[in-house]
Amino acid sequence: MRIYRDEDADLSVLQGKQIAIIGYGNQGRAQALNLRDSGLQVLVGNRADEYADQARADGFSVLPIAEAAAQGDVIALLIPDEVAPEVFEREIAPGLTPGKALAFASGYNVAFGFLQPPPEVDVVLVAPRMIGTGVRDLYLAGKGFPSFIGVAQDATGRARDVALALAKGIGSTRAGVVEVTFAQEAELDLFTEQCFGPAFGHVLTTAVDLLIEEGYPPEAVLLELYMSGELAYTLGKIAEMGLVEQTALHSRTSQYGSLSRGMRFLLPELRERMREGLEEIRSGKFAQEWAAEQAAGCPTLEALRQAARGQPLYRWEQQLRQALAYTPPPAVGLVRERPAVPPRKAGVGKLDRALAWLRRLWAPRLGRQEVLQPARSLRPEEVSAVFRAFLDRVSRDEALRAFAQGRDLTVHYVLEEPSLEFYMRFTDGQVAAGLGAPPGPAQVRLRARVDVLDGMLTGRIPAMRAAMTGQLRFEGEARLAMSLQAVQGDLSRLYQEVRREVTGVVR
Ligand code: NAI
């Protein structure tokens, strides 16, 4: 694969051309400043908000988006991917005349067909593998950062030259630029967010959980594993030196221990799960699901956030951070002079985002202390009576019928110890529920031990924790599984009524 450097790119391709940077956020500000400092002609298109004020304060001429797009020869669309299609249709497309170039910092919308530029313009990708503040800081430090470039449409025959010139103007060819397709960029990006990040985070939280369970002090466990910043620093060294070379920085005991014991963690299932995730991304299934979720006002995202709020580990991490009065060293040798933009949305890396998400979701052993102990587990002979009566009540409940309005959702529960199957089917305001397998295909299958489901429905076990620790496993459509959160309270209410009647105790 070819790596393009400074000598492969020609800035003169952009000389005398007007570059319109649409959006002045994480990437917009950094790229606009770098391009201007590289001697190019830059104006900013932004709606009237604090980002526009910042652009003006930085000395740019700021125009409404439609005007900037009309004036620009090269139009870089640097607004959030979620809003880009609509803004493009309304404000950019009318200003696109033949021969102009449209540049993106992410392949997502073009790759998944949410945005369709007219055929007579160049469509290029210049996607830094660096957060906005890093793009600016590294430029100022005389260093570079890698980027992906790509060409989706080459109307003028010079689209690649334009992409390379933009990459040079922002300082990226100093480090090296790699050409990919829009789809490859988008798929790799999503894979990191949806497969690598969560898998890595899960390894981390499993280790925290196990060590605390084994009696190590939680503070020491968190410091050892990641909160000292050693992990982040080591990742920086891995990026700098490579996975193999960086082992030289560790003791011989560490080298022998990790190399001789590493085979134990070659888990074939992990690879299969990653492949599943990648398939979902490549087929466009995730993109369609996310579009539908946004169109519905993001109820699942909100449910996930709700579930994440108030997890004990999060509060506890904050306390440890304050008690330590310590900021871990930067991971990649980046020494920031100042915050590039006054405190608004901070740019964070994908891994950080995934870890922060997992940290908030994950309830460690501390959480368990808050969990009520069961007064009495269900006896095996009570199980089918409890669930039969529960399902009967589920099929007659008004709140669940309301939930079933406009839905077509079948959930198949597969329980173990003792084994028991049952289903709930929500279709057009009707609820059907019963023991055994569902009469038709199920979009969601949930698997758990009886005591785990009993714990979830009686409030002893947080559902999110059960899912994070593998006690509750689901197959099928995540979005539909999450939609059940909306009736979790009703299911618990019905279950507890029945459990009290059959066993005499709620928990
Ligand atoms: P951002 O969230 O910082 O964007 C803020 C800008 O978008 C502001 O100028 C704001 O006025 C404008 N904006 C927001 N909503 C708008 C709306 N409804 N209508 C019109 N303007 C609106 O965006 P960020 O993070 O810089 O991302 C821009 C592009 O860069 C995206 O394609 C993203 O995938 C890509 N990218 C971002 C990276 C990062 O460092 N965050 C890294 C690499 C690529």
Side-chain angles (χ1 to χ4, degrees):
M1 167 169 261
R2 178 152 182 209
I3 310 258
Y4 295 94
R5 306 293 308 268
D6 270 349
E7 55 275 21
D8 304 309
D10 182 4
L11 268 189
S12 71
V13 174
L14 296 173
Q15 232 87 51
K17 301 227 167 181
Q18 179 64 63
I19 301 173
I21 298 286
I22 309 298
Y24 202 72
N26 295 312
Q27 285 296 322
R29 180 175 194 256
Q31 296 200 23
L33 290 169
N34 291 5
L35 290 166
R36 185 174 66 183
D37 289 352
S38 293
L40 298 168
Q41 199 183 320
V42 180
L43 62 78
V44 171
N46 213 93
R47 63 181 183 180
D49 61 11
E50 78 273 25
Y51 294 92
D53 299 340
Q54 176 73 54
R56 256 179 232 106
D58 288 341
F60 284 104
S61 156
V62 182
L63 300 175
I65 293 176
E67 272 179 50
Q71 290 197 17
D73 301 304
V74 176
I75 300 149
L77 200 49
L78 299 177
I79 57 178
D81 293 329
E82 302 92 280
V83 301
E86 193 194 322
V87 173
F88 176 79
E89 271 316 308
R90 203 181 51 227
E91 295 174 72
I92 312 255
L96 285 180
T97 47
K100 287 194 177 190
L102 193 57
F104 294 88
S106 143
Y108 190 90
N109 283 311
V110 171
F112 292 111
F114 294 118
L115 193 156
Q116 279 142 358
E120 64 277 7
V121 298
D122 290 344
V123 179
V124 302
L125 177 75
V126 181
R129 292 355 259 168
M130 181 57 63
I131 61 172
T133 50
V135 166
R136 181 61 181 156
D137 290 345
L138 285 163
Y139 181 91
L140 287 174
K143 299 179 186 169
F145 49 87
S147 291
F148 288 154
I149 61 157
V151 175
Q153 281 181 197
D154 188 5
T156 63
R158 305 213 60 191
R160 181 167 295 98
D161 296 340
V162 171
L164 280 169
L166 284 170
K168 186 170 186 170
I170 62 172
S172 193
T173 42
R174 293 174 187 169
V177 162
V178 168
E179 184 169 353
V180 294
T181 64
F182 274 57
Q184 285 170 336
E185 192 277 341
E187 289 164 9
L188 288 172
D189 197 45
L190 295 175
F191 181 85
T192 309
E193 292 168 357
Q194 295 175 27
C195 301
F196 176 71
F200 184 88
H202 202 61
V203 167
L204 188 58
T205 52
T206 302
V208 174
D209 197 30
L210 172 78
L211 292 172
I212 295 178
E213 190 172 278
E214 289 297 318
Y216 294 92
E219 298 88 337
V221 169
L222 294 200
L223 275 176
E224 173 65 32
L225 289 174
Y226 65 103
M227 283 197 71
S228 69
E230 191 185 5
L231 172 66
Y233 191 81
T234 305
L235 286 173
K237 287 292 168 196
I238 290 174
E240 196 181 312
M241 303 169 70
L243 202 53
V244 177
E245 279 297 316
Q246 66 82 38
T247 54
L249 303 177
H250 304 274
S251 71
R252 277 158 49 84
T253 311
S254 155
Q255 291 179 36
Y256 176 73
S258 64
L259 291 169
S260 65
R261 301 308 192 258
M263 299 294 277
R264 191 174 277 153
F265 302 101
L266 286 175
L267 306 172
E269 199 199 332
L270 185 61
R271 191 186 171 87
E272 277 319 300
R273 290 286 156 135
M274 286 190 172
R275 197 186 296 284
E276 259 172 43
L278 184 59
E279 242 339 282
E280 221 170 61
I281 293 166
R282 283 158 97 157
S283 65
K285 191 165 173 230
F286 169 79
Q288 292 307 329
E289 178 182 319
W290 177 221
E293 168 72 5
Q294 290 175 85
C298 295
T300 313
L301 183 60
E302 195 41 46
L304 283 164
R305 285 190 178 138
Q306 288 280 1
R309 272 180 213 126
Q311 293 289 344
L313 179 63
Y314 181 68
R315 289 197 305 277
W316 196 74
E317 278 179 332
Q318 307 304 313
Q319 286 162 12
L320 180 59
R321 281 176 56 192
Q322 278 165 14
L324 281 171
Y326 164 69
T327 309
V332 285
L334 258 186
V335 182
R336 302 263 315 281
E337 317 146 292
R338 64 198 150 69
V341 182
R344 53 168 84 131
K345 187 181 131 194
V348 285
K350 283 189 224 12
L351 194 59
D352 288 342
R353 283 204 301 264
L355 289 178
W357 183 78
L358 276 154
R359 272 183 223 139
R360 275 181 268 123
L361 279 185
W362 181 78
R365 187 165 175 76
L366 275 173
R368 280 189 209 157
Q369 290 162 9
E370 293 175 5
V371 166
L372 296 171
Q373 290 306 308
R376 171 163 96 55
S377 302
L378 277 187
R379 296 193 183 108
E381 65 275 16
E382 291 167 344
V383 171
S384 69
V386 167
F387 279 97
R388 181 171 292 113
F390 167 58
L391 294 169
D392 179 51
R393 224 157 278 198
V394 164
S395 57
R396 290 185 287 113
D397 188 71
E398 276 309 313
L400 294 178
R401 278 197 197 134
F403 171 74
Q405 286 296 346
R407 280 180 207 273
D408 182 10
L409 168 63
T410 303
V411 188
H412 182 185
Y413 290 80
V414 182
L415 304 186
E416 295 147 19
E417 299 176 37
S419 58
L420 180 90
E421 284 179 62
F422 66 87
Y423 67 91
M424 291 179 202
R425 191 157 173 236
F426 305 93
T427 36
D428 290 333
Q430 295 302 315
V431 183
L435 288 176
Q443 294 98 332
V444 174
R445 182 168 296 120
L446 292 163
R447 295 178 187 275
R449 287 199 322 264
V450 166
D451 64 323
V452 170
L453 188 64
D454 180 63
M456 283 164 51
L457 289 168
T458 52
R460 278 185 289 112
I461 300 178
M464 195 53 76
R465 181 179 159 74
M468 293 298 290
T469 54
Q471 292 178 297
L472 172 72
R473 300 178 305 285
F474 79 84
E475 296 154 19
E477 294 191 33
R479 189 173 58 88
L480 292 175
M482 288 309 303
S483 70
L484 281 174
Q485 290 242 348
V487 284
Q488 197 58 36
D490 294 303
L491 294 175
S492 293
R493 165 177 57 80
L494 297 174
Y495 184 81
Q496 289 175 30
E497 279 170 23
V498 167
R499 198 184 195 282
R500 191 184 298 114
E501 286 164 21
V502 177
T503 69
V505 283
V506 173
R507 297 189 169 103

